[in-house]
Amino acid sequence: MSATNKYLDELISYGGEPTTRAEVIADMQRMGTPQPCIDRWLQGQELAARLRAQRERLSLRIFLPRI
């Protein structure tokens, strides 16, 4: 599977529902959203996902006992 297909097939949260990036892009295009806006939305979604993952790691570290 190519990197592009893997990226487009990855599930992300769209309106609180798990949806592939390809479906999100198609839905936004159907609604007439300009491509630069779609690109920025995807960039923001990726940044937010990274920040959430980082926050999870930090909060887990606080409560795990030291072994």
Side-chain angles (χ1 to χ4, degrees), residues 13-35:
S13 178
Y14 182 59
E17 297 291 324
T19 311
T20 66
R21 279 193 182 91
E23 292 171 325
V24 170
I25 293 167
D27 185 53
M28 288 181 166
Q29 288 172 338
R30 235 184 337 272
M31 291 187 298
T33 306
Q35 191 62 46

Side-chain angles (χ1 to χ4, degrees), residues 44-67:
Q45 188 277 331
E46 291 170 26
L47 175 62
R50 270 189 262 137
L51 291 174
R52 278 191 298 275
Q54 183 181 19
R55 208 171 328 131
E56 274 182 21
R57 283 193 306 270
L58 291 174
S59 64
L60 284 175
R61 192 175 304 151
I62 293 170
F63 298 107
L64 291 176
R66 293 183 186 227
I67 299 174

Side-chain angles (χ1 to χ4, degrees), residues 36-52:
C37 292
I38 295 171
D39 296 342
R40 294 300 174 262
W41 186 90
L42 289 167
Q43 288 174 339
Q45 188 277 331
E46 291 170 26
L47 175 62
R50 270 189 262 137
L51 291 174
R52 278 191 298 275

